[in-house]
Amino acid sequence: MLKGDTLLDGANFASAGIGILNDTGAQFLNIIRMYRQLDYFEEYQQRVADQIGPARTRKLVNQALVLITVGGNDFVNNYYLVPYSARSRQYPLPEYVKYLIVEYRKLLQRLYDLGARRVIVTGTGPMGCVPAELAMRGTNGGCSAELQRAASLYNPQLQHMLQGLNKKLGKDVFIAANTALMHNDFISNPEAFGFTTSRIACCGQGPYNGIGLCTPLSNLCPNRNLHVFWDPFHPSEKANRLIVEQIMSGSKRYMKPMNLSTVLAMDARK
């Protein structure tokens, strides 16, 4: 637990496996769902206020940079978790995407109400092209068409929702990071970025090293920097570094309405 001056450096409320919806990740134990993470953010501010006072705490939170990455699990660990899942029976995919966007907007509005004023919101990656999906749902070595369709529906609607939220607030609070596009660059042409494969995970087992988790018993590649994916789901450190470079200095094709370097330069002048 953070204490003393470490509270002033920042905090991480993230929990692996969760989603926008409370029923996402229900198969995992002890996950911290989004509404509870926002409760913790509120409690964090009270603890900081006890240390430096309410006014300085408001300023600290208002000037903080917030990164929020959620949404992919609502497809992988909910809608598509099992055939004929409860959510897939409840909603056709386009309606499910709309439902996610409406619920996500509520979470982001609460984040704003709690004082966040600079928030980078990432979209989903190319969900159908991760090694796990190539192994389980891919056809003839290709990406899963259905999960790719989900990403293609979700990401533009997320960006549109963020633009609408900014317009309502009258300022550019929420920055959309098109991580699917960033990822697709080196999935479609890995060699251009110094990778040898965007299909086979560095650590895993089965086809494409896409089955199960990365464990001491897994296959392990000799050079992780040659792989786009570290394990069946997650980018390698090198791939993540390339994504961060685009977040920092990418064009509006990747970052809307502006990249992080522009945000930092604007805020430094305040």
Side-chain angles (χ1 to χ4, degrees):
M1 184 180 286
L2 294 175
K3 301 177 185 175
D5 288 347
T6 54
L7 281 167
L8 309 182
D9 295 331
N12 182 0
F13 305 97
S15 177
I18 63 103
I20 295 164
L21 305 180
N22 286 336
D23 58 310
T24 293
Q27 73 274 29
F28 301 124
L29 298 174
N30 301 320
I31 60 174
I32 305 168
R33 292 177 169 82
M34 278 298 303
Y35 75 91
R36 190 70 184 107
Q37 291 182 32
L38 292 169
D39 289 345
Y40 283 146
F41 182 40
E42 191 169 15
E43 291 172 23
Y44 160 83
Q45 293 182 50
Q46 184 56 57
R47 291 174 59 201
V48 173
D50 291 343
Q51 187 169 331
I52 64 173
R56 285 181 64 196
T57 297
R58 271 193 302 276
K59 184 177 180 183
L60 182 75
V61 172
N62 288 166
Q63 293 179 342
L65 179 68
V66 177
L67 172 66
I68 183 165
T69 298
V70 71
N73 284 329
D74 292 288
F75 296 101
V76 175
N77 285 323
N78 191 328
Y79 196 84
Y80 293 109
L81 180 64
V82 293
Y84 308 107
S85 67
R87 286 297 187 185
S88 67
R89 293 196 307 272
Q90 181 183 14
Y91 293 107
L93 180 63
E95 299 309 312
Y96 181 68
V97 169
K98 289 177 186 174
Y99 174 55
L100 286 180
I101 296 296
V102 168
E103 294 303 307
Y104 201 0
R105 192 181 190 278
K106 295 174 187 175
L107 293 171
L108 293 176
Q109 179 66 55
R110 185 173 176 217
L111 191 59
Y112 176 83
D113 293 342
L114 288 171
R117 294 295 179 268
R118 286 295 190 197
V119 185
I120 294 177
V121 182
T122 67
T124 71
M127 297 182 288
C129 297
V130 302
E133 298 305 332
L134 293 181
M136 290 187 290
R137 293 190 180 90
T139 51
N140 299 321
C143 301
S144 163
E146 188 64 11
L147 272 162
Q148 287 300 89
R149 177 173 170 245
S152 71
L153 287 171
Y154 175 82
N155 287 314
Q157 290 185 50
L158 174 64
Q159 191 166 295
H160 186 261
M161 179 266 281
L162 296 174
Q163 289 172 337
L165 205 45
N166 284 339
K167 187 174 181 181
K168 177 199 162 197
L169 297 171
K171 49 193 160 185
D172 291 327
V173 173
F174 298 100
I175 313 296
N178 194 334
T179 41
L181 191 59
M182 298 172 193
H183 236 121
N184 277 332
D185 284 348
F186 39 82
I187 282 178
S188 59
N189 189 6
E191 292 80 9
F193 298 88
F195 299 109
T196 57
T197 178
S198 61
R199 297 157 62 76
I200 302 169
C202 176
C203 184
Q205 46 268 323
Y208 310 102
N209 277 345
I211 303 297
L213 302 174
C214 176
T215 73
L217 301 177
S218 298
N219 302 318
L220 184 65
C221 70
N223 185 351
R224 66 191 68 190
N225 287 332
L226 299 179
H227 292 250
V228 169
F229 288 96
W230 159 247
D231 67 10
F233 291 101
H234 301 103
S236 63
E237 183 178 350
K238 180 181 173 182
N240 276 324
R241 193 179 304 121
L242 291 169
I243 290 170
V244 170
E245 286 173 5
Q246 290 287 17
I247 289 173
M248 283 298 298
S249 55
S251 68
K252 288 191 176 181
R253 183 167 176 257
Y254 299 96
M255 297 292 295
K256 287 185 179 179
M258 68 195 94
N259 60 38
L260 182 53
S261 294
T262 304
V263 170
L264 295 174
M266 286 172 57
D267 290 350
R269 292 195 293 268
K270 290 181 179 176

